[in-house]
Amino acid sequence: MNKTMRALVPLALFAVLAALLFFGLTTDPRKVPSPLVGKPIPKFTLPSLLDPNSTVSDADLRGQVSLVNVWFSTCVSCRAEHRELMAIAKSGGVQIVGLNWKDEKPEALQMLRQFGNPYHKIAFDQDGRVGIDWGVYGAPETFIVDKKGTIRYKQIGPIDRTVWEETLLPIVEQLKAESS
């Protein structure tokens, strides 16, 4: 019986590891649930990226539905989604507030000069502390905030036309209809 157990233990360990690997490979990392969804936005006040004499705060996110887009200038995925953010901004359907996260100001400003500015306001979170309060662990991440200041959805990864039309826009439209 001892020889049988020695043979079965490695087999059982292999089966457990294979099951964990299979589960991990079938899970979409962009669909990680956020504990902040359904909760009020974190309180914050940060300097504006564009105007050092003004600030951006949680108060700027109340009163209308907003997208809060976390980005930094050297983020390849942030650059990839920028064109879609410009199109969303041009449509005028929702306020987009940027959270420039762990970036250098000159590089961030250069990116906006080069690709355009889709943001109504941009908070400059150079040390990343506000990002931590929002539960950010990578960029880009985008939050949908309702007019009362409650986080209603978190998108991990870049926004493209499909993500906008099939996921984010329906939520934004529903929230806007609720607030009418």
Side-chain angles (χ1 to χ4, degrees), residues 50 61 107 138:
L50 301 175
L61 300 174
E107 287 82 356

Side-chain angles (χ1 to χ4, degrees), residues 15-50:
V16 168
L17 288 174
L20 289 172
L21 178 63
F22 177 76
F23 175 74
L25 292 175
T26 60
T27 304
D28 185 349
R30 292 172 293 176
K31 294 185 178 177
V32 176
S34 171
L36 297 178
V37 172
K39 296 188 177 161
I41 55 176
K43 293 196 179 300
F44 71 93
T45 301
L46 286 170
S48 167
L49 177 68
L50 301 175

Side-chain angles (χ1 to χ4, degrees), residues 5-162:
M5 289 300 282
R6 285 186 196 178
L8 290 178
V9 168
L11 186 60
L13 286 174
F14 175 77
V16 168
L17 288 174
L20 289 172
L21 178 63
F22 177 76
F23 175 74
L25 292 175
T26 60
T27 304
D28 185 349
R30 292 172 293 176
K31 294 185 178 177
V32 176
S34 171
L36 297 178
V37 172
K39 296 188 177 161
I41 55 176
K43 293 196 179 300
F44 71 93
T45 301
L46 286 170
S48 167
L49 177 68
L50 301 175
D51 180 2
N53 296 320
S54 66
T55 60
V56 180
S57 74
D58 54 290
D60 295 308
L61 300 174
R62 290 188 176 82
Q64 61 184 311
V65 177
S66 302
L67 295 181
V68 177
N69 178 252
V70 181
W71 64 283
F72 61 93
S73 60
T74 57
C75 164
V76 174
S77 295
C78 299
R79 287 176 177 247
E81 79 172 357
H82 201 81
R83 181 179 309 213
E84 189 60 33
L85 291 173
M86 291 296 292
I88 294 166
K90 187 176 180 182
S91 75
V94 65
Q95 168 179 254
I96 306 174
V97 175
L99 179 62
N100 182 243
W101 181 64
K102 294 184 175 182
D103 206 354
E104 297 299 324
K105 191 176 236 179
E107 287 82 356
L109 293 171
Q110 175 58 35
M111 180 179 155
L112 295 174
R113 279 191 296 275
Q114 184 175 356
F115 299 110
N117 181 3
Y119 304 106
H120 290 82
K121 294 185 175 204
I122 306 171
F124 183 53
D125 185 20
Q126 187 171 23
D127 63 10
R129 290 190 178 153
V130 170
I132 290 170
D133 294 341
W134 280 77
V136 173
Y137 60 88
E141 291 184 13
T142 302
F143 299 83
I144 299 177
V145 178
D146 69 17
K147 73 174 194 167
K148 295 178 184 174
T150 301
I151 297 172
R152 301 297 291 269
Y153 186 81
K154 179 179 181 180
Q155 166 69 31
I156 298 173
I159 299 170
D160 59 19
R161 176 59 44 187
T162 302

